[in-house]
Amino acid sequence: MKLSALTLASLPAAIQTPTYDRTAHAPGVVHLGLGAFHRAHQAMVFDQLLASGDTRWGIHGVGMTRPDLVNPLRAQDGLYAVRIADAKGVKWQVPGALWRTSVATTERDAVVQAIAAPATRWVTLTVTEKGYTPALGQLLLDGLRLRQQAGLPGITIASCDNLQGNGHKLQALVKAEIPAKHTTPQDAQLLVWLDTHCAFPCSMVDRIVPAATAEVMAAAQEALGLQDACALSTEGFWEWVIENRFADPADASLLQSAGVRVTDDVHSYEEAKLRMLNGSHTAMALIGAVTARPFIANCIGAEHIRTFVHQLMGREVSPHLSRSDWAEYRNALIARFANPHLKHSVHQIATDSSQKIPQRWPPSVLGQIAQGASFEHHALAAAVFVRYTLGVDEQGQTYTLNDPQAASLMALGAAQRTEPETCVRALLAREDLWGSALPQHAAWIARVTHWHQQVMQHGVDKAIQQLLAQEA
Ligand code: CS2
């Protein structure tokens, strides 16, 4: 038997399930990007709001490209179990906020209509870094235009991706679809309506949610006594910090009541999260991929890697953060990375590295350069990234680069065994990864070249140990 609306009542009493009516109301939220993260993070916040009796937070969930992700959820009436596990214990919960689903590529009109539906008050997005395309701007604009033409209220459109200033980026993307020249009077009105009636808050979301695995599904079967093809595993910790900018200002206190932090200063949370958590994640993911350590917990479990990550955050990232409680933040992150319940695959995090590195590493390196301080940890991480483009680990196992830039990265890195310096230079010259300043910086290039040499000659582990000895 499968988890579904029909079987929900048969779950063991210890499992928290939705007790509110999931069919009586139209969804108030359209969410784009129906991956594991959203389902174990925001969908659980909305579940809390629904459980408190506010019926406006049901979700119309949109898979951007993959019917194979959406179909199993449909077959379970949008229900799935989440295992929440860390040092405090293990519990299972079935959130009930996902009421409807669509796939953007095959059901575009349904998505546009959902954005334009009278009950819709929010659009939230987790479409990943590479999802911020003109096509996304056009999809949102089509829905918003229908709302405006129908005389409906404006809505809050909240980007929740790991991009600095994500709300500003999204707003610019949507507006870019309105031609700047030869604007019709209707377009001009739409622009004014977007500015005065819609809100594009910036936000920082945080919870470690690995892609689902067979192991989690088996554990779900055991805990639920039912089959759940959509089960997820996550940690107890979650954080959602959002800019106080809403189409309906009353949403601020509502979200706060569910544990969301509403503030005028999202920036300091965003930058700390991107450079500390995500920056360390990318470094560990590449180290793990090259040294054949499958999970983040294996990386942080190796003492030299843990010290490396601790120092990367403490010495090279934290000096440039506006968040002052960085030491506690760092220590909490190390503990979260070590969570043995989270089988967080290094290859999953290494996915799309070309899109992630720009937010995660260069700001810290540039900060160190500006202060005349050392950037050795980041230089070594960059060297490991170069080594990663070879597509084979130190045990001789090949792996695929899952990245929109995979072909060009592998082409540039291919000859690094025979012409290491040329390859390092070519990869460090890419402004799409490093920005415009770093590719010009001779000392940066020299240090990455140095660490790349060590990595190629002695392997990643030895190179890290050497760095620790040097920086002691
Ligand atoms: C990870 C993030 O895959 C990745 O790039 O760094 O998904 C990370 O787990 C989340 O941002 C944590 O909030």
Side-chain angles (χ1 to χ4, degrees), residues 37 162 205-208 273 277-278 281 344 349 356 360:
F37 181 82
N162 288 324
V205 291
D206 186 8
R207 186 171 222 180
I208 296 177
K273 195 243 169 180
L277 188 163
N278 298 117
H281 249 176
H344 204 182
I349 300 170
K356 294 174 176 175
R360 300 181 179 197

PDB file of all heavy atoms in Angstrom, residues 37 162 205-208 273 277-278 281 344 349 356 360, ligand 1:
ATOM      1  N   PHE A  37      14.489  20.164  -1.715  1.00  0.00           N
ATOM      2  CA  PHE A  37      14.668  21.277  -0.785  1.00  0.00           C
ATOM      3  C   PHE A  37      13.337  21.928  -0.411  1.00  0.00           C
ATOM      4  O   PHE A  37      13.002  22.065   0.765  1.00  0.00           O
ATOM      5  CB  PHE A  37      15.620  22.335  -1.361  1.00  0.00           C
ATOM      6  CG  PHE A  37      15.818  23.457  -0.393  1.00  0.00           C
ATOM      7  CD1 PHE A  37      16.732  23.340   0.637  1.00  0.00           C
ATOM      8  CD2 PHE A  37      15.033  24.598  -0.451  1.00  0.00           C
ATOM      9  CE1 PHE A  37      16.875  24.335   1.589  1.00  0.00           C
ATOM     10  CE2 PHE A  37      15.163  25.601   0.485  1.00  0.00           C
ATOM     11  CZ  PHE A  37      16.093  25.477   1.508  1.00  0.00           C
ATOM     12  N   ASN A 162      20.083  30.170  -3.989  1.00  0.00           N
ATOM     13  CA  ASN A 162      21.355  30.569  -3.391  1.00  0.00           C
ATOM     14  C   ASN A 162      22.086  31.596  -4.241  1.00  0.00           C
ATOM     15  O   ASN A 162      23.164  31.335  -4.779  1.00  0.00           O
ATOM     16  CB  ASN A 162      22.251  29.333  -3.204  1.00  0.00           C
ATOM     17  CG  ASN A 162      21.759  28.439  -2.079  1.00  0.00           C
ATOM     18  OD1 ASN A 162      21.255  28.917  -1.069  1.00  0.00           O
ATOM     19  ND2 ASN A 162      21.909  27.136  -2.259  1.00  0.00           N
ATOM     20  N   VAL A 205      17.343  31.003   2.459  1.00  0.00           N
ATOM     21  CA  VAL A 205      16.747  29.792   3.011  1.00  0.00           C
ATOM     22  C   VAL A 205      17.863  28.801   3.315  1.00  0.00           C
ATOM     23  O   VAL A 205      18.868  28.761   2.612  1.00  0.00           O
ATOM     24  CB  VAL A 205      15.750  29.142   2.033  1.00  0.00           C
ATOM     25  CG1 VAL A 205      14.508  29.996   1.874  1.00  0.00           C
ATOM     26  CG2 VAL A 205      16.387  28.888   0.688  1.00  0.00           C
ATOM     27  N   ASP A 206      17.687  28.042   4.371  1.00  0.00           N
ATOM     28  CA  ASP A 206      18.740  27.111   4.751  1.00  0.00           C
ATOM     29  C   ASP A 206      18.147  25.873   5.414  1.00  0.00           C
ATOM     30  O   ASP A 206      17.410  25.972   6.395  1.00  0.00           O
ATOM     31  CB  ASP A 206      19.709  27.817   5.714  1.00  0.00           C
ATOM     32  CG  ASP A 206      20.926  26.959   6.046  1.00  0.00           C
ATOM     33  OD1 ASP A 206      21.093  25.898   5.412  1.00  0.00           O
ATOM     34  OD2 ASP A 206      21.709  27.364   6.933  1.00  0.00           O
ATOM     35  N   ARG A 207      18.442  24.752   4.846  1.00  0.00           N
ATOM     36  CA  ARG A 207      18.216  23.449   5.462  1.00  0.00           C
ATOM     37  C   ARG A 207      18.937  22.446   4.564  1.00  0.00           C
ATOM     38  O   ARG A 207      18.819  22.536   3.339  1.00  0.00           O
ATOM     39  CB  ARG A 207      16.726  23.102   5.536  1.00  0.00           C
ATOM     40  CG  ARG A 207      16.472  21.823   6.315  1.00  0.00           C
ATOM     41  CD  ARG A 207      15.003  21.572   6.591  1.00  0.00           C
ATOM     42  NE  ARG A 207      14.820  21.102   7.965  1.00  0.00           N
ATOM     43  CZ  ARG A 207      13.642  20.793   8.498  1.00  0.00           C
ATOM     44  NH1 ARG A 207      12.532  20.923   7.798  1.00  0.00           N
ATOM     45  NH2 ARG A 207      13.566  20.371   9.740  1.00  0.00           N
ATOM     46  N   ILE A 208      19.656  21.524   5.134  1.00  0.00           N
ATOM     47  CA  ILE A 208      20.349  20.542   4.302  1.00  0.00           C
ATOM     48  C   ILE A 208      19.372  19.410   3.990  1.00  0.00           C
ATOM     49  O   ILE A 208      18.876  18.734   4.892  1.00  0.00           O
ATOM     50  CB  ILE A 208      21.627  20.032   4.998  1.00  0.00           C
ATOM     51  CG1 ILE A 208      22.612  21.215   5.149  1.00  0.00           C
ATOM     52  CG2 ILE A 208      22.255  18.902   4.198  1.00  0.00           C
ATOM     53  CD1 ILE A 208      23.898  20.888   5.889  1.00  0.00           C
ATOM     54  N   LYS A 273      25.711  32.862   4.609  1.00  0.00           N
ATOM     55  CA  LYS A 273      25.302  31.511   4.236  1.00  0.00           C
ATOM     56  C   LYS A 273      25.994  31.068   2.951  1.00  0.00           C
ATOM     57  O   LYS A 273      26.511  29.957   2.851  1.00  0.00           O
ATOM     58  CB  LYS A 273      23.786  31.473   4.098  1.00  0.00           C
ATOM     59  CG  LYS A 273      23.234  30.071   4.070  1.00  0.00           C
ATOM     60  CD  LYS A 273      22.557  29.763   2.789  1.00  0.00           C
ATOM     61  CE  LYS A 273      22.259  28.279   2.676  1.00  0.00           C
ATOM     62  NZ  LYS A 273      21.594  27.959   1.419  1.00  0.00           N
ATOM     63  N   LEU A 277      28.524  28.379   4.504  1.00  0.00           N
ATOM     64  CA  LEU A 277      27.941  27.049   4.289  1.00  0.00           C
ATOM     65  C   LEU A 277      28.184  26.574   2.856  1.00  0.00           C
ATOM     66  O   LEU A 277      28.816  25.543   2.618  1.00  0.00           O
ATOM     67  CB  LEU A 277      26.436  27.075   4.590  1.00  0.00           C
ATOM     68  CG  LEU A 277      25.716  25.722   4.607  1.00  0.00           C
ATOM     69  CD1 LEU A 277      24.376  25.837   5.317  1.00  0.00           C
ATOM     70  CD2 LEU A 277      25.504  25.069   3.266  1.00  0.00           C
ATOM     71  N   ASN A 278      27.673  27.335   1.894  1.00  0.00           N
ATOM     72  CA  ASN A 278      27.759  26.859   0.515  1.00  0.00           C
ATOM     73  C   ASN A 278      29.203  26.860   0.014  1.00  0.00           C
ATOM     74  O   ASN A 278      29.595  25.956  -0.738  1.00  0.00           O
ATOM     75  CB  ASN A 278      26.856  27.694  -0.398  1.00  0.00           C
ATOM     76  CG  ASN A 278      25.376  27.606  -0.028  1.00  0.00           C
ATOM     77  OD1 ASN A 278      24.760  28.596   0.345  1.00  0.00           O
ATOM     78  ND2 ASN A 278      24.797  26.428  -0.103  1.00  0.00           N
ATOM     79  N   HIS A 281      30.705  23.807   1.391  1.00  0.00           N
ATOM     80  CA  HIS A 281      30.088  22.670   0.713  1.00  0.00           C
ATOM     81  C   HIS A 281      30.761  22.402  -0.626  1.00  0.00           C
ATOM     82  O   HIS A 281      31.100  21.256  -0.948  1.00  0.00           O
ATOM     83  CB  HIS A 281      28.599  22.968   0.455  1.00  0.00           C
ATOM     84  CG  HIS A 281      27.667  22.142   1.274  1.00  0.00           C
ATOM     85  ND1 HIS A 281      26.317  22.322   1.233  1.00  0.00           N
ATOM     86  CD2 HIS A 281      27.891  21.115   2.140  1.00  0.00           C
ATOM     87  CE1 HIS A 281      25.740  21.456   2.058  1.00  0.00           C
ATOM     88  NE2 HIS A 281      26.676  20.715   2.615  1.00  0.00           N
ATOM     89  N   HIS A 344      24.643  13.018   2.296  1.00  0.00           N
ATOM     90  CA  HIS A 344      24.627  14.115   1.329  1.00  0.00           C
ATOM     91  C   HIS A 344      25.761  13.908   0.327  1.00  0.00           C
ATOM     92  O   HIS A 344      26.926  14.129   0.638  1.00  0.00           O
ATOM     93  CB  HIS A 344      24.784  15.450   2.067  1.00  0.00           C
ATOM     94  CG  HIS A 344      24.237  16.604   1.312  1.00  0.00           C
ATOM     95  ND1 HIS A 344      24.302  17.896   1.769  1.00  0.00           N
ATOM     96  CD2 HIS A 344      23.619  16.675   0.113  1.00  0.00           C
ATOM     97  CE1 HIS A 344      23.743  18.711   0.883  1.00  0.00           C
ATOM     98  NE2 HIS A 344      23.334  17.990  -0.126  1.00  0.00           N
ATOM     99  N   ILE A 349      26.327  17.839  -4.714  1.00  0.00           N
ATOM    100  CA  ILE A 349      26.689  19.246  -4.456  1.00  0.00           C
ATOM    101  C   ILE A 349      27.631  19.774  -5.537  1.00  0.00           C
ATOM    102  O   ILE A 349      27.577  20.954  -5.897  1.00  0.00           O
ATOM    103  CB  ILE A 349      27.315  19.385  -3.052  1.00  0.00           C
ATOM    104  CG1 ILE A 349      26.310  18.917  -1.991  1.00  0.00           C
ATOM    105  CG2 ILE A 349      27.740  20.826  -2.779  1.00  0.00           C
ATOM    106  CD1 ILE A 349      26.899  18.795  -0.606  1.00  0.00           C
ATOM    107  N   LYS A 356      27.804  27.820  -9.223  1.00  0.00           N
ATOM    108  CA  LYS A 356      27.813  28.029  -7.767  1.00  0.00           C
ATOM    109  C   LYS A 356      29.057  28.788  -7.299  1.00  0.00           C
ATOM    110  O   LYS A 356      28.988  29.615  -6.394  1.00  0.00           O
ATOM    111  CB  LYS A 356      27.741  26.672  -7.061  1.00  0.00           C
ATOM    112  CG  LYS A 356      26.419  25.944  -7.298  1.00  0.00           C
ATOM    113  CD  LYS A 356      26.423  24.534  -6.697  1.00  0.00           C
ATOM    114  CE  LYS A 356      25.052  23.863  -6.856  1.00  0.00           C
ATOM    115  NZ  LYS A 356      25.062  22.468  -6.388  1.00  0.00           N
ATOM    116  N   ARG A 360      30.123  31.791  -4.229  1.00  0.00           N
ATOM    117  CA  ARG A 360      30.608  31.145  -3.017  1.00  0.00           C
ATOM    118  C   ARG A 360      32.057  31.482  -2.653  1.00  0.00           C
ATOM    119  O   ARG A 360      32.390  31.540  -1.487  1.00  0.00           O
ATOM    120  CB  ARG A 360      30.422  29.621  -3.149  1.00  0.00           C
ATOM    121  CG  ARG A 360      28.952  29.264  -3.351  1.00  0.00           C
ATOM    122  CD  ARG A 360      28.690  27.775  -3.477  1.00  0.00           C
ATOM    123  NE  ARG A 360      27.255  27.530  -3.644  1.00  0.00           N
ATOM    124  CZ  ARG A 360      26.650  26.380  -3.465  1.00  0.00           C
ATOM    125  NH1 ARG A 360      27.364  25.312  -3.132  1.00  0.00           N
ATOM    126  NH2 ARG A 360      25.358  26.258  -3.633  1.00  0.00           N
TER     127      ARG A 360
HETATM  128  C1  CS2 B   1      24.363  22.792  -1.456  1.00  0.00           C
HETATM  129  C2  CS2 B   1      23.033  23.407  -0.999  1.00  0.00           C
HETATM  130  O1  CS2 B   1      23.924  21.498  -3.368  1.00  0.00           O
HETATM  131  C3  CS2 B   1      24.408  22.558  -2.956  1.00  0.00           C
HETATM  132  O2  CS2 B   1      24.921  23.376  -3.683  1.00  0.00           O
HETATM  133  O3  CS2 B   1      25.409  23.616  -1.069  1.00  0.00           O
HETATM  134  O4  CS2 B   1      21.950  22.750  -1.590  1.00  0.00           O
HETATM  135  C4  CS2 B   1      22.882  23.404   0.521  1.00  0.00           C
HETATM  136  O5  CS2 B   1      22.719  22.104   1.012  1.00  0.00           O
HETATM  137  C5  CS2 B   1      21.714  24.249   0.963  1.00  0.00           C
HETATM  138  O6  CS2 B   1      21.867  25.542   0.436  1.00  0.00           O
HETATM  139  C6  CS2 B   1      21.608  24.283   2.480  1.00  0.00           C
HETATM  140  O7  CS2 B   1      20.687  25.247   2.871  1.00  0.00           O
END
